[in-house]
Amino acid sequence: MTDIRAVRTDLSRIRRRGPLARFGEAVLRNLANLKVLLRYPSAIVGLTLMTVFILVAIFAPLIAPYGPFEVTYTAERAVIRLSAPSMNNLFGTTNQGMDVFSQLVWGSRVALMVGLLSALGSVLLGTLIGLFSGYFGGWIDEVLMRATDVAFGIPFLPFAMVVISIAQPSLGLVILLVIFFLWRTTARVIRSQVLSLKTRPFVWAAKAAGAGHMKILFLHIAPNVLPLSFLYVAIGVQTGVMLEAALSFLGFGDPHVQSWGIMLNAAFQAGAMRTAWWWVLPPGLALSAFVLSVFMITRAYEELLNPRLRSI
Amino acid sequence: MVSVLEVVDLHIRYGTGAGEARAVDGVSFSIEAGEYLGLVGESGCGKSTIAKAVLGILPPNGRVAAGEIRFQGRDIVRLPPAEFRQMRWRDIALVPQSAMNGFDPVYTVEQQIEEAIVAHVSWPAAERRKRIEELFAMVGLERQRLSDYPHQFSGGMRQRAMIAMAMVLDPTLVVADEPTTGLDVIVQDQILQRIKAIQEQLQKTMLLITHDMAVVAENCDKIAVMYAGRVVEYGGKEVFRTPHHPYTLGLCNAFPDLDDRERELISIPGAPPSLVDPPRGCRFAPRCPFATPHCSDVDPPLVEVAPGHSAACHYLDRAAEFRRMSEDPEIWRRAGEAA
Amino acid sequence: MQGFRRYVIRRLMLLVFVIWCILTIMFGLFQLLPGDPTSIFIDSNFSPDMIERQKELWGLNDPIWLQYLRYIRNMALFDFGQSFFQIAPVSEIMADKVKNTALMIVPALVISIVLGTVIGAIAGWRRGSKFEQSTVATSLFLHSAPSFFVGILVLMVFSYQLRWLPPGGMVSLGGPDGFWEMIVARDYWVHLILPGLVLVSREITGPILLLRSSMLEVKGSDFLDILRAKGLPERQIVTHATRNALLPLVTYIAVMTGLLFQGQVLLEIIFAWPGIGRELVQALNDLDYPVAQAALYVMALVTLALNFIADLLYGVIDPRVTYE
Ligand SMILES: Nc1ncnc2c1ncn2[C@@H]1O[C@H](COP(=O)(O)OP(=O)(O)O)[C@@H](O)[C@H]1O
Ligand code: SF4
Ligand SMILES: [Mg+2]
C-alpha cells in the first residue's frame, strides 16, 4: 500500500549479511509480490481511494484552510456558527464555528496514524506470540494460548472505555488498547500456521543442519507466515480506524486531536442530526470510504492468498 | 424381449475452461435382463460419466449431446425430470465409487436408507424398518449398527451399507461404479463376491464399472472395454478369452490371471489422451505397440469379429499374432519409449 | 459420553480460569482509579472522622489481599454493592439493563441467523447466479460499513426527516413496562425497528457469507450425487446440503456474539436504548464505579457463556466430533 520502492531503498541501506537482513529481504519480497494485487479491480479502487487519503493527510496543511480547532469569523469578527456549506466554509461550520472541511482534512492524519500504528503493533505482537507459541509448544504455548483465551473473553469496547476513563484519554492509549484487542486473532491464526509448517521437511533439514531455534523460527518459518501477517496488517488498519472512531464517538477519544469519530461525537452531542447534516455526513462518509477502501484491498489480498475464494 | 438397458451412440460432453471434453463419444451397448455387464477401462475413459448419465446425475457442466439411453425401451435422456426422478433408485440404483463419502455424514445410515424408501413408496414405518433390517442381514451387517453414523463404519461396512441401500427398493438395474476402490484387497473380494451372490440369487441386471480386467473376467458375462470415450471391444466372455483389440490385450496383461499366477504383470505405459482434443485416427495409437502410420490417420470402426463380439482395430486379422507378441513385456516397454 | 463429560469439565475449568483472570485484571484496574470512591461523592465538608468511618465501612482500610478476596467473592455471587447515584442494588440495575439489551439483541440475532442462513445457503447453492453475486456484493459492503454511522444515517432519514419512526428509546414515555407487557406491545416493536434493522444489516452478513462459502464446499461432496440418484426432491437435497453447511456456523455464532457488545454499545447510545452498554457509558461519565465494573463484568460473562455454549453445541450438531 505504501511506496514499495521507498521501503526498499530504506532497507538496502541497513542490509548486512545476517539473519536480520535475510528476514528483511523476505519482507521485501512479500511487499514486491503485492504488485499482483493490481490485477484485481477491487484492489485498484481501494488503492486509489487510499492514495487519495494518504495525499490528503500529507498535504493537510496546504489543503485545509483552517486549523483543526480554529474558529472561523465573518468579516465583522462574528463567529460563523452552524453555517451551511458556503464558498468560505466548503462543508459548513460546527456549532462552535469551526470549519468542517478543515477538520475532515486533519482527521485523515489521525485515521492513517491510528490505522497504521495499531495494525503494525498488533500484527508484530500477534505474529511473535503465534510464532513462539506454535514453534515451542509445551508450557510456552500453554501460557500464551491461555492469555489469548483471556483476551478473547474481554469485550473490547467496554473494557477500553473503562481503561480510558481511569487513565487520561489520549491517542496513544487508544492505539495501545486497539493493539491489545487486535493481537489475539493474529496470534491464533499464525500459531496454527506455524504448527503445520513445523512438520515440513525444510524445517527438519534446517534442524539436521544444526540451525538453532531462533534461526529456524525467523529464517525458515517466519518468512512463510508473512503473507498471512500482511493480511492481518490490512485487517488491522481497518479495525483500528473503526475502533478509534467508535471510542471517540462514545466520548472516549483524545480531546486534543480532531478525528472523524470526535467530529461525529461533537455533532451527535450538539444534536446536529436534526439541524446540521453537513456536520454529520462528511466525517461519517470519510470514515466509511476509508474503511471500505482498506476492505477492498484486504479482500483482493485474501483472494490472492486463498484462490478458492476467488470464484465469487 | 426388450433390453433392460440399451445405450445407443451416446455422446456426453463436459464444458471445461480448456474447451469441451468429449468424455463419451459414440458409445453403444446393451444389457439384457439378468445379465452382468462389465464396463472396463483405465481411469479417465468416461466410465463414471456413463454411470452418471444412466442415473441422470451428470454435473451441471455435463450434458448428453447426442444418442439415447433406453431403459426398458424408454429413452430416459429426454424424460421429464419429475418422471425420471421417480424412476431413480426404484428402477435404477447405484453403488458408488465413493462409499467413503457416499453417505451424508450428519445423518444416520438408517435415516439415509429410509429416505430412499420414503421418496418412492408409502410403506408404513414398521415395514420400512423390517426391509432395512432384512437388507442389513443380507449384506452381513448387524442391525444394531443401523442407528450409527457413517463415520462409525469401516470402509468395507460402508460399502456393504451402500449395497443394502441400493437393493432396498428391489431395482431392476444396479449400476456399481468401482465399488471396491479404496478398500483393502480382502475386503474388495468380499464386496465383489457379495455383489455377485446378490446378482445370481436375485437375478439382478447389473452394470459393473471397473478398471480391473481380472474383476470383470471373474464376475461378468458380458464386457465392454472403453478407451478414451469409446468402446473398443465388446462381447461375451470371449473378449478376454480371445481378445482382439491391443488395448484389451494390454489390460489383460496388467492384471493377475487366475489360471496363470506366475505371469508377469505389465502395465500399459503412458496415459489416456485428453478428451478435449483427442488424437486423430485410432485414439490408442500413441500407446499401441502395433500402431502404423495408417492408424494415426484413420479411425478404425467397431466391426464384428465373431457373432456378438466386436472390436475397433485396423488389424483384427492379425489378432492372433498380436496376442502372442503382447505376452512379451519388451514390446510394451518399447512402445512406451516411442511415445 | 465419558469423553464428552471430561471435555465439558475441562472446558468449564478453562471458563472459570478465564473469568478469574478477567476479574483480577478488573480489580487491578479499579485499584488504579483516580482517588478512592470516598473522594468522589462524599461531601467535602464531611469531617475526616466521618470519611474514616465510611472507609472502614467499605473495608477500604483492609489489607489489599483481603479486599481482593472479598472482591472475587462478591463478583462470583453477583453482589455488586450499591450504586453511588441510583438508589438500588447494582445487581438489580444489571438485571434490568441486561433484559433491555436482550430485548434488542435477541430478536435481531435470531433474524440475522435464520434469514442469513437461508439467504447464504441459497446463494451458495445457486452458484454464479445473479442472486448469488448481488447477495455477496451487498453483504461484503454492509459487513465493512461502520454500523454506527449507518445508525446515524437511518436516524436522520427515518426519524428526523421523514418522521416515520421514533428517534430513540425502547418505549414511549409512559409506555408499557415489564418484560411481558413490553414484548406484546406494538410500541416496543416500533421502537425496535430502526436499531434492530441496523443491527441485522450488520450481523446478517456473517451467516450469509459463511453459509455461502461452506455451501460451495459441500456442493462438491459425493454424497449429494447419491441423494440425487436416490430420486429425492430437490428441496430435500438442499436440506441435506444446508445441514452440512451449517456446521461452521455454530463456531461463527460464538465469534459473532463475542463481538456483539462492540456494536451494541454504539447502537444503544445512538438510539437511546436503555441497555447495559448505555448504562456503562453513563456510569463512566458519572464515575459510578460499582455500576461500571458490574456492567463490564456482565458483558464479559455473557461473551464467555455464549462461547462456551457454542463449543458444546458443535459437538452436538456434528456427529463426527469425538472427545477422546
Ligand atoms: N465434471 C467434469 N467436468 C469436466 N470434465 C470432467 C468432469 N467429470 C469428468 N470429466 C472428464 O471426463 C473424462 C471421463 O471421466 P470419468 O467418466 O470420471 O472417467 P472414469 O470413470 O472412466 O475414470 C475425464 O477425462 C475427466 O477428466
Ligand atoms: S488401430 Fe492401430 S493403433 Fe489402434 S489399436 Fe489397432 S493397431 Fe493399435
Ligand atoms: Mg470413475
Side-chain angles (χ1 to χ4, degrees), chain B residues 177-240:
Chain B
D177 185 1
E178 312 241 15
T180 58
T181 315
L183 302 175
D184 68 63
V185 187
I186 298 171
V187 181
Q188 284 192 7
D189 270 355
Q190 290 172 353
I191 295 287
L192 286 168
Q193 275 163 23
R194 210 167 280 277
I195 294 178
K196 177 83 177 155
I198 291 170
Q199 194 263 334
E200 279 169 358
Q201 276 167 28
L202 306 177
Q203 285 296 303
K204 282 272 164 263
T205 313
M206 302 260 313
L207 169 59
L208 174 72
I209 291 173
T210 175
H211 60 271
D212 187 336
M213 200 61 173
V215 168
V216 182
E218 205 172 327
N219 291 284
C220 304
D221 27 58
K222 209 166 169 186
I223 297 114
V225 181
M226 257 190 102
Y227 185 74
R230 295 200 169 154
V231 170
V232 293
E233 186 154 9
Y234 177 55
K237 295 241 180 212
E238 56 281 6
V239 170
F240 48 79

Side-chain angles (χ1 to χ4, degrees), chain A residues 134-148:
Chain A
Y135 181 75
F136 288 107
W139 65 268
I140 297 182
D141 184 38
E142 191 67 22
V143 169
L144 292 176
M145 281 305 107
R146 292 301 77 79
T148 18

Side-chain angles (χ1 to χ4, degrees), chain B residues 245-247 282-286 288-292 295 300 312-315 322:
Chain B
H245 196 280
Y247 180 62
C282 176
R283 292 185 177 179
F284 189 52
C288 181
F290 315 112
T292 65
C295 296
C313 172
H314 288 306
Y315 303 107
F322 287 173

Side-chain angles (χ1 to χ4, degrees), chain B residues 14-16 21 23 42-49 59 61 275:
Chain B
Y14 288 113
T16 72
E42 285 164 301
S43 184
C45 286
K47 307 181 301 293
S48 296
T49 303
N61 65 331
L275 294 175

